[in-house]
Amino acid sequence: MQKLAVIGIAVFLGLTLCFSSPALAARKAPKVFNLNIHFVIAPKHKDSQKKFSEYIQRSVAVAEKAYSAAPRLKIDVTTSVKRKLGGKDLSNLEFADSVDLATFMDTHFDHVAVTKKSGHMTVLLTERLYFKDTKSRAGGSAYFPQWMIWGERYHGIVLVLPTRPETRKSAMILAHELGHVFGLKHSFDPYMNLDPRLNCNKKYRPLGERGKCATCTGKVVVEKFKDKAGKKRTRRYCKKGKSNIMDYCKAPKYYLNRCQRRRSALQRASYIFADGRTNYAKLKGVLGKKGRYCYKGIEAVGRNECRKKHKLGKACVRNAHCASRRCLAFRCTASSRRKKVKSAMQPGLKIRKRKK
């Protein structure tokens, strides 16, 4: 009986380690995770474009340093300028709630996967992001992988240009938002994993007064002040120490703990093909199931939607749209492959040809 109990415990632990996350089952990945990021800049004034460009350079350098564990993050940057889209002033964004923001980003600033191995992540850099339901501003917005939150839709990331973009905390915003994409929660939020090695906030505290700056390795300073409206507010920051990147805390230096480095590295590895190239289809979230096709991500058209493959005679644009895998003259037609004729003979039976 004791032997059976030991075997049962071993099997349970093995299943726990294998199935607690898809990243754990990943193969040994290459040492570098190459990521193309396209920044859409939305400046209020033309003179501030230089400020945006300098901020992007600093933010990218900080993010690459933060996620240097293998496969280390290597970002290739492209930029464009847009001021209005979807009836909104992109430099001054207002949304009813976070769902409204996600819908807007999913429609206009989705990640792009032209093919499975070519594309880019999209980041919108604005000057203001305001939510009407909470009557509050935000410094950025991202999403979690779908294995963490079922049904989560992948879309572009939003960053807000800080009033003081030259500060150390300001340069951490991109690294913070990428942390969510790489499977990291806030330091004041709990993880729901069976594998204890991926529970990175074992001693977490709710956000509140105690949760903010709880990761500070130095002294936590509390200051009371009045905002522009005259309301009394409290500010907490970390003095002479380090604060976690996933915390809401101003500090001289920032860090990721060992668990966060491991967890984010496993998630990055899940976005890499065996040949070392980035899987932009998975990063975009358009990997469809059998019998379905998904949009590849043409800008302003692709929206992570997967549809049932068309039958013969239905309209199509690409071969992938048809169940027969053949689209001819914009119609799904029968496959050109010859059907294999099943032989009634026994398998493995060789037929000798007669010599003439």
Side-chain angles (χ1 to χ4, degrees):
M1 291 295 291
Q2 290 181 349
K3 289 183 179 180
L4 290 174
V6 171
I7 293 171
I9 293 171
V11 170
F12 174 77
L13 289 174
L15 292 173
T16 299
L17 293 176
C18 290
F19 296 105
S20 57
S21 77
L24 273 181
R27 52 185 160 55
K28 190 175 180 181
K31 295 181 179 180
V32 182
F33 173 54
N34 295 293
L35 180 63
N36 298 328
I37 299 184
H38 182 71
F39 288 87
V40 181
I41 302 172
K44 194 171 184 179
H45 305 286
K46 292 182 179 180
D47 299 337
S48 59
Q49 288 188 22
K50 184 178 179 182
K51 188 189 296 185
F52 276 76
S53 300
E54 292 175 351
Y55 176 68
I56 290 172
Q57 291 178 0
R58 294 186 67 249
S59 299
V60 167
V62 169
E64 288 181 337
K65 185 177 180 180
Y67 301 105
S68 57
R72 67 178 178 85
L73 177 64
K74 188 177 182 301
I75 300 174
D76 186 22
V77 176
T78 56
T79 59
S80 64
V81 178
K82 284 185 180 180
R83 290 184 172 83
K84 290 185 178 182
L85 189 64
K88 289 185 178 291
D89 179 3
L90 297 181
S91 66
N92 185 15
L93 292 172
E94 288 190 8
F95 296 96
D97 49 31
S98 58
V99 177
D100 189 20
L101 167 64
T103 303
F104 178 80
M105 294 299 295
D106 198 34
T107 305
H108 301 289
F109 296 101
D110 198 4
H111 298 325
V112 174
V114 180
T115 64
K116 287 185 178 181
K117 297 184 179 181
S118 65
H120 63 74
M121 176 181 281
T122 307
V123 176
L124 173 61
L125 188 54
T126 181
E127 294 192 20
R128 182 174 177 266
L129 178 60
Y130 181 80
F131 293 102
K132 295 178 182 178
D133 60 337
T134 57
K135 296 181 181 179
S136 61
R137 296 187 180 188
S141 177
Y143 57 88
F144 292 106
Q146 289 178 345
W147 67 271
M148 290 179 62
I149 299 180
W150 186 85
E152 183 86 331
R153 290 182 75 89
Y154 295 0
H155 52 74
I157 297 173
V158 186
L159 297 181
V160 178
L161 182 71
T163 53
R164 297 178 61 191
E166 70 280 358
T167 61
R168 191 181 296 271
K169 182 183 179 181
S170 299
M172 281 291 168
I173 299 176
L174 176 61
H176 178 99
E177 300 303 336
L178 284 176
H180 293 314
V181 178
F182 297 153
L184 301 182
K185 288 190 174 184
H186 292 125
S187 58
F188 42 79
D189 291 330
Y191 285 94
M192 301 298 291
N193 286 101
L194 295 175
D195 186 354
R197 294 176 299 171
L198 296 183
N199 291 331
C200 302
N201 299 337
K202 293 178 182 178
K203 297 180 180 180
Y204 85 96
R205 295 176 183 175
L207 181 56
E209 289 296 324
R210 293 183 178 182
K212 193 173 182 180
C213 289
T215 61
C216 175
T217 60
K219 182 182 178 181
V220 179
V221 178
V222 181
E223 286 184 351
K224 293 184 179 181
F225 69 100
K226 290 184 179 180
D227 60 12
K228 293 180 180 179
K231 293 183 180 180
K232 293 182 179 180
R233 297 190 179 276
T234 303
R235 180 190 294 119
R236 299 169 71 91
Y237 65 92
C238 183
K239 186 178 181 181
K240 295 182 179 180
K242 297 179 181 180
S243 177
N244 196 281
I245 291 176
M246 304 311 294
D247 198 352
Y248 286 169
C249 187
K250 180 182 177 182
K253 294 182 180 180
Y254 294 87
Y255 71 93
L256 289 174
N257 61 39
R258 185 177 180 181
C259 176
Q260 289 172 321
R261 293 195 298 271
R262 172 182 170 79
R263 185 185 179 98
S264 59
L266 287 170
Q267 186 62 44
R268 292 194 299 278
S270 70
Y271 292 133
I272 303 176
F273 282 108
D275 60 0
R277 297 179 67 181
T278 303
N279 189 339
Y280 286 99
K282 187 174 182 180
L283 193 66
K284 178 181 167 63
V286 295
L287 292 182
K289 296 180 180 179
K290 188 176 181 181
R292 300 175 75 86
Y293 74 90
C294 303
Y295 288 117
K296 295 294 183 182
I298 302 171
E299 285 202 82
V301 177
R303 294 189 55 192
N304 299 347
E305 295 179 2
C306 296
R307 298 180 179 180
K308 193 173 182 180
K309 290 190 176 183
H310 302 166
K311 297 180 180 179
L312 296 179
K314 296 292 183 180
C316 62
V317 178
R318 301 196 309 268
N319 290 337
H321 293 177
C322 304
S324 62
R325 296 291 300 171
R326 191 185 188 196
C327 180
L328 184 63
F330 301 103
R331 292 287 173 183
C332 290
T333 59
S335 176
S336 59
R337 296 177 181 176
R338 294 180 180 178
K339 294 183 179 180
K340 294 182 179 180
V341 180
K342 293 183 179 180
S343 176
M345 297 182 181
Q346 295 179 359
L349 183 64
K350 294 182 180 180
I351 301 175
R352 293 181 180 179
K353 293 183 178 180
R354 293 181 180 179
K355 294 181 180 180
K356 293 182 180 180

